[in-house]
Amino acid sequence: MKTILHALSAGNIEVENSRRLADLKQLDATRIFLKKMDTKVYNGEHVVPIRLYFPTENAMSAGIEEGSTFPVLLFFHGGGWVTESVENYDRVCSRMAQATAHIVVSVEYRLAPEHRFPVPLEDCYAATRALYTNQLIINTDPEEITIVGDSAGGNLAAAVCLLARDRGEFMPRRQILIYPALGNCYTEKSPFRSVQENGSDYLLTAVKMEDYLNLYQSSPSDRNNPYFAPIVEENLKNLPETLILTAEYDPLRDEGEAYGKKLREAGNQVEIHRISGAFHGFFALGFKFLHVQESFGYINQFLNASYEKILHLSINDEKIK
């Protein structure tokens, strides 16, 4: 197994080949057929495609009917800001809708290197603002929206929450970061042990992460921008309640956990769970995999506990009135 992993981990990122390999996921013989709807939002004059996944027929009706709302997961896919798409993540989002009983809103942000930082982030921010200000076809309650992202999507989720806090147009209540890419260095100078321990033989390598950063950045100075690398943000106060899931054999493991600890030290509510025995990217595997089941256990526990807090606060507010 180690020999196979080592062979699969070799080489740098070649954009077109990587994209063709990622697109093979669209040839999915076991695709989950779920009620879906394609729509769009605007980032300036650019159209940002959006796909909605409804866990049930009732959820579709409840999400669209006037006067009703349904809980939502706003999802940003991974792929190093360079590869992957809403279509490639179709199975992941369908399964997420079913496993959490949420409407999943998946965002087709533009990719680097054709569209470098901050374009992908601004696409995600525009989609988030549209959802939080009820500009999509579904009716939304900001209290029932959770921002989710895996890998580079976790980076975008964290950065969107920072932007939302700083711009003051809306404020997310919850974020779920799945093995997020939050750092700005994957060379031997990295302060994180997991980059050295897991950076060569576990599919995602330190070399590939450096390639992804180089393709995403508009200039080297971007690496010191907290919207590019959230781990460098010094002020982490007043951010959403956060769940962070990391993988044991992942070069990104330690930065995700360090970010969670920094959030907690800044006064935010944070849960951090390391999935033992897992590699980077495991969340895209089928639900039969124990690592995926474990992850959804943490996700549902986090969501349910958060909603119970909101309900408790609402009941107390009514009593005070």
Side-chain angles (χ1 to χ4, degrees):
M1 177 61 74
K2 287 184 176 180
T3 302
I4 294 170
L5 284 171
H6 179 76
L8 292 174
S9 302
N12 294 73
I13 294 298
E14 201 289 312
V15 173
E16 290 308 317
N17 285 339
S18 297
R19 287 177 177 171
R20 281 194 288 270
L21 184 61
D23 287 345
L24 291 175
K25 296 173 187 175
Q26 298 178 27
L27 305 174
D28 187 355
T30 59
R31 181 181 292 265
I32 301 170
F33 291 98
L34 205 66
K35 284 288 184 182
K36 305 169 192 174
M37 182 181 297
D38 288 331
T39 184
K40 61 187 176 183
V41 299
Y42 288 90
N43 177 15
E45 296 183 354
H46 175 71
V47 175
V48 182
I50 303 289
R51 181 169 293 173
L52 311 177
Y53 296 81
F54 300 92
T56 63
E57 293 270 0
N58 290 337
M60 189 171 189
S61 300
I64 295 175
E65 287 178 1
E66 187 174 352
S68 65
T69 60
F70 203 87
V72 173
L73 299 178
L74 175 62
F75 182 72
F76 307 134
H77 66 75
W81 308 276
V82 172
T83 68
E84 304 296 358
S85 66
V86 165
E87 188 66 30
N88 292 353
Y89 265 71
D90 191 83
R91 177 205 283 259
V92 175
C93 291
S94 295
R95 186 182 64 238
M96 197 185 312
Q98 289 182 325
T100 63
H102 281 57
I103 295 172
V104 173
V105 178
S106 186
V107 180
E108 190 78 273
Y109 59 87
R110 284 172 283 183
L111 298 177
E114 294 86 351
H115 306 283
R116 295 174 181 264
F117 176 81
V119 173
L121 173 59
E122 291 293 352
D123 283 351
C124 292
Y125 182 84
T128 308
R129 180 178 56 206
L131 184 64
Y132 273 85
T133 56
N134 214 16
Q135 297 176 41
L136 293 183
I137 192 171
I138 54 173
N139 301 307
T140 55
D141 177 354
E143 298 288 343
E144 295 187 328
I145 300 171
T146 304
I147 299 179
V148 187
D150 74 318
S151 194
N155 167 285
L156 293 168
V160 162
C161 290
L162 288 172
L163 269 179
R165 180 200 62 181
D166 296 344
R167 292 180 178 177
E169 295 181 291
F170 58 89
M171 192 60 226
R173 289 293 301 267
R174 289 171 301 278
Q175 62 177 341
I176 299 174
L177 311 180
I178 302 168
Y179 39 75
L182 304 167
N184 61 1
C185 175
Y186 297 93
T187 69
E188 65 280 356
K189 296 180 181 179
S190 170
F192 299 114
R193 190 180 65 182
S194 62
V195 172
Q196 280 74 46
E197 289 182 350
N198 304 326
S200 59
D201 292 327
Y202 298 102
L203 302 181
L204 178 66
T205 65
V207 169
K208 289 176 181 176
M209 280 305 304
E210 275 295 312
D211 286 349
Y212 283 135
L213 289 185
N214 287 327
L215 291 165
Y216 182 41
Q217 68 189 31
S218 293
S219 72
S221 63
D222 288 337
R223 296 206 185 197
N224 297 317
N225 186 327
Y227 302 137
F228 181 92
I231 197 75
V232 306
E233 173 61 60
E234 295 182 0
N235 175 18
L236 291 174
K237 293 181 179 180
N238 302 316
L239 285 167
E241 186 176 350
T242 303
L243 170 65
I244 296 177
L245 301 179
T246 63
E248 181 180 3
Y249 298 109
D250 182 357
L252 308 185
R253 181 194 68 203
D254 291 353
E255 67 194 60
E257 294 172 5
Y259 188 67
K261 291 172 184 175
K262 288 180 67 175
L263 285 171
R264 188 180 289 151
E265 289 167 359
N268 304 289
Q269 296 186 30
V270 183
E271 287 184 37
I272 307 168
H273 298 283
R274 180 186 296 184
I275 309 300
S276 297
F279 301 151
H280 186 91
F282 74 84
F283 196 67
L285 299 173
F287 193 74
K288 65 181 180 180
F289 287 87
L290 294 179
H291 297 146
V292 178
Q293 294 177 27
E294 182 180 354
S295 296
F296 276 116
Y298 291 131
I299 289 169
N300 282 321
Q301 184 179 10
F302 171 78
L303 293 172
N304 292 336
S306 183
Y307 294 146
E308 286 175 7
K309 289 176 190 174
I310 292 170
L311 179 61
H312 179 70
L313 290 172
S314 299
I315 291 172
N316 285 343
D317 287 344
E318 288 300 317
K319 287 179 179 178
I320 291 169
K321 291 176 183 177

